Structures are given as C-alpha cells and as structure tokens.
Amino acid sequence: MASLSILRQNHFFSAALPTRPKPKYAAAPGRIRMSLQENAPTLAVVGVTGAVGQEFLSVLSERDFPYSSIKMLASKRSAGRRLTFEDKEYVVEELTEDSFNGVDIALFSAGGSISKKFGPIAVDRGTIVVDNSSAFRMDENVPLVIPEVNPEAMAGIRVGLGKGALIANPNCSTIICLVAATPLHRRAKVVRMVVSTYQAASGAGAAAMEELELQTREVLAGKPPTCKIFNRQYAFNLFSHNAPILSNGYNEEEMKLVKETRKIWSDKDVKITATCIRVPVMRAHAESVNLQFETPLDEDTAREILKNAPGVVVIDDRESNNFPTPLEVSNKDDVAVGRIRRDLSQDGNQGLDIFICGDQVRKGAALNAIQIAEMLL
C-alpha cells in the first residue's frame, strides 16, 4: 500500500522517505457528511490496500457517495490491517467467494486474475461490479464506460433491480485521451488518431511510485539505483512502456488504446496508432494526440468545444507558453487540454494537434469508476 504522502505528493521527492500512517478519510472541516445513509446501497472495495483502492476511498468520501455499509476487501496477506474511513475504523477482510453476500456495488482494483475469478461470483450474488482491470474490457457483453463519453452503454443497469452486472473501467490512457478527443469526434468525426503517451509511475502501482522516489534519492547521492519494478533505472530516464510486446510490434498498452477506443466509440473503422512511454512522473499521464477529421474543424471552434466539454479544462496560453503539466492535474478530477493547433501537414482544417494531461490514479481509474457507480443509483 502506498503511503498517502506518496499518493498525494506533487513533487519528485521530499526530504525523507514517507512513513506509513494508518489511512484516514474524513469529511472536510465544516462539511456535514451525507454519505452514510441507512437506505443507501451496500458497497465493497476489492483491493482496498492498493493505490487505486486507496483512491476509491478518497473519492467516495469527497463526492459524498451514499452507502449504508462498506466492506474493505484485499488479499489474505493484507487481511487484518486496520484503516479509518469517514471517522469509522474498519478491519480489512480477506476476499472470498462469500464476500459479496448482500453487496449492491463492488469496486474492483486487484488485478485481472482476481477480477476474472471473483467478478462473476459477485454478479451471481446480485452485485454490480465496476472493474478497473483489463479482464472484461473487450467482452462484447460487458459495457466499457467513460461517463462523459458513452453513458448509454450501461443503460438498464441499476441498483435495486435485483440483478448483478459487470461494467468495465477503460484503461487509464484511454480514459484520459477520450475525455478530450470525444467532443471533437462528435463534431467532426475522427477518422485517424495518432497518440503518444508519457505515462506516470502510478500506472504501475504503489510500489513503482515508491521505487521512483527511492531511485531519485539514490541517483542524486551517487548510489546505484534499486531496480526491482522495471529492472532498469527509472529516475532521470524514460523508456518504452513495460507492457509485453506483441507479434505486431505494438505493446499491450498501445493495443488497449486502439481496441478500447473502437469499442467505446462504436466505430471499428477508426484508424488509431499509439506509442506508449513510461516517464519519471509520479501520478499523472500526458498524451500528445493528432486527430484527422472527416469534416473540417478549425482550432478556434475546437477550443470552444473543449471549454464547454464535461470533465475538461483548457490550459492553452500561447503568449505565456503555459500549457498542461502533470503536476497541475495531479489530484484533480478534470483532464487538462492545451497546445490546440491546426495540423499543418494536412490540408485545410482536416486535422488538429492537442496535448492532454490527466491524473492516472484519479480520472484514469478511481474517479471514473465511482462516476459509473453514481450512475447506478
């Protein structure tokens, strides 16, 4: 489990390695907490001790998500640990087949193998599962949802109908890209998209975040870096995403973006290519996106569309050379977009370049899942 200082920090490193306080999530001072309600849904968080699991709790509290009870579930190794959520202490329980009895909504972020095993079991118990892994994303019977983009995909799935269901959370790079690209796609129809990603340590989990901080200190001190997560120096370096390389030369991360976009947009013909890079940033991804449109779309119109798009903030100040950065979007809900300009390699207004930054742990994972859960109420 990452310490809260690691998960929340906006800098590469601080004066000392963070301690591991018992996580606490409480209502902000002066705010009356409305989330714990007798007639509200029952919740379970699977993988609660991981980076995304911890962010689930933070977002649930911040958004006053209503619940009547909540189960904290994790592996046998983590069972018995204690954490405080909204002024109440909980004991982490071992995930078992019986964990979902009486649970309305389960938020999963414990890896694909756990989701494949326990997701269907939860559904059979009548639980609606919002899964953050890749286990079910490309299953044609499972909706793959970004609430700002395709909420209609989960039509008919609601708490209170007595029926379980699976809903998949897209990959983080897909979510961050499509929150920004979809409003433009709706106006002018994207026919080709070229994406280059610059992905943070958080995408590889809490241990990768901690190792990046540790390596940074070691390199600055002239020591050999500890290389357990990526088997190479990460601090002051960047490298091709660590996902396995496929026979076509793309890695799995790149193909996720290709396949998931086609499913979410319901467009098997849109042409997409991606290059995914791991960079020494803590928790927010950046993406350079080139768009080719079916109908012309000029940059001024695109900028206005994005300014009015849900979940998007425009940072596009050419005069002061101020555009989105990972630090600015860390711990923020919105995806930031800038560098909005006509693609000079295409005729007329048939193409645009944009630069996107979004918090991988938050909108790229936990927030998106909880926004889905809110639509179930």
Side-chain angles (χ1 to χ4, degrees):
M1 179 184 70
S3 67
L4 292 185
S5 59
I6 282 280
L7 289 175
R8 292 294 182 189
Q9 73 179 11
N10 285 335
H11 302 284
F12 277 115
F13 57 93
S14 54
L17 281 174
T19 58
R20 292 176 175 269
K22 184 166 63 176
K24 295 185 70 175
Y25 302 89
R31 179 166 67 87
I32 299 174
R33 181 165 50 80
M34 301 296 291
S35 45
L36 184 58
Q37 302 173 20
E38 183 177 348
N39 297 320
T42 54
L43 305 182
V45 177
V46 179
V48 71
T49 58
V52 175
Q54 293 287 286
E55 197 73 12
F56 279 150
L57 298 183
S58 178
V59 177
L60 285 168
S61 183
E62 289 173 17
R63 295 176 73 87
D64 276 333
F65 190 95
Y67 64 95
S68 58
S69 67
I70 184 168
K71 288 185 177 182
M72 309 296 185
L73 303 173
S75 66
K76 184 176 182 179
R77 181 182 61 188
S78 297
R81 293 164 72 168
R82 296 178 180 274
L83 57 82
T84 301
F85 175 65
E86 295 198 329
D87 304 321
K88 182 178 180 181
E89 186 171 80
Y90 293 83
V91 177
V92 176
E93 303 175 36
E94 180 183 356
L95 175 64
T96 69
E97 293 186 3
D98 295 325
S99 295
F100 303 101
N101 294 334
V103 173
D104 295 314
I105 301 171
L107 303 168
F108 273 62
S109 190
S113 61
I114 296 296
S115 293
K116 286 178 182 178
K117 178 179 179 179
F118 289 98
I121 292 171
V123 172
D124 287 344
R125 299 287 205 279
T127 302
I128 300 176
V129 172
V130 184
D131 180 43
N132 192 53
S133 81
S134 61
F136 305 105
R137 288 174 185 156
M138 298 314 299
D139 186 324
E140 63 181 15
N141 297 313
V142 175
L144 183 64
V145 178
I146 305 171
E148 297 91 340
V149 174
N150 64 331
E152 69 282 354
M154 52 181 284
I157 304 176
R158 293 288 185 276
V159 168
L161 300 181
K163 186 177 179 182
L166 275 166
I167 303 170
N169 219 28
N171 193 38
C172 49
S173 54
T174 304
I175 294 172
I176 290 165
C177 178
L178 296 193
V179 167
T182 299
L184 307 178
H185 174 60
R186 288 179 177 141
R187 172 64 68 92
K189 186 174 173 52
V190 173
V191 296
R192 184 169 187 265
M193 182 166 69
V194 181
V195 183
S196 298
T197 72
Y198 313 93
Q199 297 185 219
S202 57
M209 298 168 75
E210 292 180 343
E211 184 164 291
L212 173 57
E213 182 165 354
L214 175 61
Q215 280 194 11
T216 301
R217 290 207 184 87
E218 290 171 335
V219 172
L220 289 174
K223 300 177 182 178
T226 300
C227 301
K228 294 180 180 179
I229 305 302
F230 299 115
N231 297 317
R232 68 178 76 204
Q233 182 175 323
Y234 189 12
F236 306 102
N237 192 21
L238 56 83
F239 48 87
S240 180
H241 193 281
N242 48 292
I245 301 292
L246 306 174
S247 60
N248 63 4
Y250 286 74
N251 63 42
E252 288 184 356
E253 187 80 0
E254 293 157 353
M255 290 310 300
K256 286 176 186 177
L257 208 156
V258 173
K259 294 176 181 179
E260 292 176 18
T261 297
R262 288 173 175 165
K263 179 175 178 177
I264 292 165
W265 280 356
S266 300
D267 185 352
K268 61 180 175 37
D269 296 321
V270 62
K271 300 180 187 303
I272 304 164
T273 186
T275 300
C276 295
I277 303 296
R278 188 72 75 182
V279 297
V281 170
M282 245 341 145
R283 59 172 287 157
H285 290 353
E287 305 187 22
S288 172
V289 180
N290 175 266
L291 302 166
Q292 181 179 346
F293 300 109
E294 184 175 84
T295 59
L297 179 63
D298 66 85
E299 63 182 48
D300 291 333
T301 301
R303 193 174 288 105
E304 288 305 309
I305 290 170
L306 290 168
K307 284 180 179 178
N308 292 289
V312 174
V313 60
V314 173
I315 304 174
D316 197 46
D317 186 348
R318 296 179 181 178
E319 184 174 346
S320 61
N321 200 13
N322 183 39
F323 303 103
T325 70
L327 285 180
E328 284 180 292
V329 300
S330 291
N331 304 303
K332 303 288 178 57
D333 289 350
D334 289 339
V335 169
V337 185
R339 298 302 314 280
I340 303 163
R341 63 202 188 277
R342 183 171 74 87
D343 176 3
L344 298 179
S345 72
Q346 299 187 52
D347 294 334
N349 290 309
Q350 296 298 134
L352 287 172
D353 287 301
I354 59 176
F355 185 69
I356 308 166
C357 289
D359 188 309
Q360 180 274 329
V361 188
R362 201 166 180 90
K363 182 53 186 172
L367 173 63
N368 197 80
I370 288 164
Q371 287 174 314
I372 290 171
E374 289 171 342
M375 295 168 58
L376 300 171
L377 304 179

